[in-house]
Amino acid sequence: MGSLCFDEQKNNILVTGGAGFIGTHTVVQLLNEGFGVTVIDNFDNSVEEAVVRVRGLVGDQLSKKLDFHLGDLRNKDDLEKLFSKNKFDAVIHFAGLKAVGESVANPRRYFDNNLVGTINLYEVMAKYGCKKMVFSSSATVYGQPEKIPCVEDFSLKAMNPYGRTKLFLEEIARDIQKAEPDWRIILLRYFNPVGAHESGKLGEDPKGIPNNLMPYIQQVAVDRLPELNVYGHDYPTKDGSAVRDYIHVMDLADGHIAALRKLFTTENIGCTAYNLGTGRGTSVLEMVAAFEKASGKKIPIKLCPRRPGDATAVYASTEKAEKELGWKAKYGIEEMCRDQWKWASTNPYGYESKP
Ligand code: NAD
Ligand code: UFG
């Protein structure tokens, strides 16, 4: 019965990439639920202040249940050190690089970091008998979907080297679980994570010029950038701009708790993929309007040609996650924009003070 036990107060979770955007929000929720949490991160795309903020948010008592290790998944010794000193009941694996454009320019960096890092992790987990994994996959594995909403059993396709790492890592997970059936693996396909912790203390803090829509809008709102380029205004959508399924990062965080619960309580979960989205599509122009409303700021826009490789409309079928994980997104775009504006207006330069 031991392996079927789900007791938050006793379970110890390793969170790779726990200093990053989705990682920090998930760690807060894990600690609030009573889990013990160990984070490993190399601060490639994050800063120590984010971990300090997590501690501040959960308070002194729960903070004692959070252990942070500076380490790199590409370095197996860093993982060996962690696993030889701790017993982990499961791993949530966020650590990875995620910038599509950078992956096209420098695919080796993506294959090295995302593939080698994850393969090391599986090896060390197997060696120490920890065989429960929640993996950060992405809606990018649906490529340019022929039909929407995207359903988990659709055929998969990579559109760029970043997407290829996610697709390969899904396949690797399926192969490992097939060969060694005692693994339990959940692949979570995130749609477009946005928003911030409702306190305004945690949020997304990209380095350099943001690639993604919401961090870009946010930087226009705080006068760090002059205007938003809207990529594509001739799509066959309601207003000509592209449609995505934006999901509040706190809903996403809760989705990981639901996935853990499923892993701990379902012996025959195998290797299973779930979409984490809201099931609702919102256009770029609708998102701009919602952010203007939440912030009271005008976001100047420039209508530009389509961005190569972008799909017209992508949104999730949420049925499987609702039915099997008992999880459903609670927040809409109003709350996403409200919380992201709270984060942006109180931290216009992210975790660092103005350079
Ligand atoms: P993020 O960059 O904010 O967080 C990733 C964290 O992993 C960072 O703190 C980084 O320093 C760390 N990291 C990277 N490589 C590492 C390594 N080799 N060793 C140790 N730490 C390492 O990104 P995020 O938005 O929080 O995304 C988390 C995961 O979710 C990623 O795997 C990403 O591909 C996936 N994902 C993100 C999105 C999105 O739009 N944010 C969408 C779909 C999937
Ligand atoms: N967009 C703009 N201007 C910008 C940035 C984006 O108009 O400055 C548009 C894009 O063209 C797209 C929409 O806003 O139509 C959303 O773009 P994002 O870059 O925010 O998100 P994507 O849907 O392109 O992709 C994101 C991640 C991928 C991930 C995917 C699904 O970047 O890695 O969500 O999770 F795979």
Side-chain angles (χ1 to χ4, degrees), residues 204-247:
E204 188 168 13
D205 182 19
K207 292 183 177 164
I209 307 260
N211 301 301
N212 300 115
L213 179 67
M214 286 303 277
Y216 203 107
I217 292 182
Q218 169 186 323
Q219 293 198 9
V220 174
V222 298
D223 294 327
R224 286 175 64 180
L225 292 167
E227 62 186 1
L228 172 75
N229 294 324
V230 173
Y231 297 127
H233 48 96
D234 56 352
Y235 283 110
T237 59
K238 44 197 154 186
D239 58 24
S241 64
V243 166
R244 294 290 182 275
D245 185 341
Y246 297 93
I247 174 166

Side-chain angles (χ1 to χ4, degrees), residues 7 27 85 107 158 164 169-170 175 182 186 204 286-287 300:
D7 182 349
V27 169
K85 292 196 191 111
R164 217 161 340 269
L169 288 169
E170 283 210 2
D175 285 343
D182 53 337
I186 288 186
E204 188 168 13
E286 284 174 330
M287 214 55 189

Side-chain angles (χ1 to χ4, degrees), residues 221-222 291 294-295 297 337-346:
V222 298
F291 200 86
S295 64
K297 299 272 179 181
C337 293
R338 176 198 67 196
D339 295 338
Q340 187 147 354
W341 175 239
K342 184 156 187 194
W343 156 249
S345 53
T346 48

Side-chain angles (χ1 to χ4, degrees), residues 21-22 41-42 44-46 72-73 94 98 113 162 166:
F21 171 43
I22 305 170
D41 202 298
N42 63 359
D44 183 282
N45 196 36
S46 50
D72 193 316
L73 266 57
F94 293 111
K98 60 167 185 176
N113 195 83
Y162 163 71
K166 292 297 178 196

Side-chain angles (χ1 to χ4, degrees), residues 323-341:
K323 208 164 125 208
E324 296 181 18
L325 299 180
W327 170 90
K328 190 178 188 309
K330 293 194 290 275
Y331 299 115
I333 56 169
E334 212 170 292
E335 290 98 347
M336 298 176 211
C337 293
R338 176 198 67 196
D339 295 338
Q340 187 147 354
W341 175 239

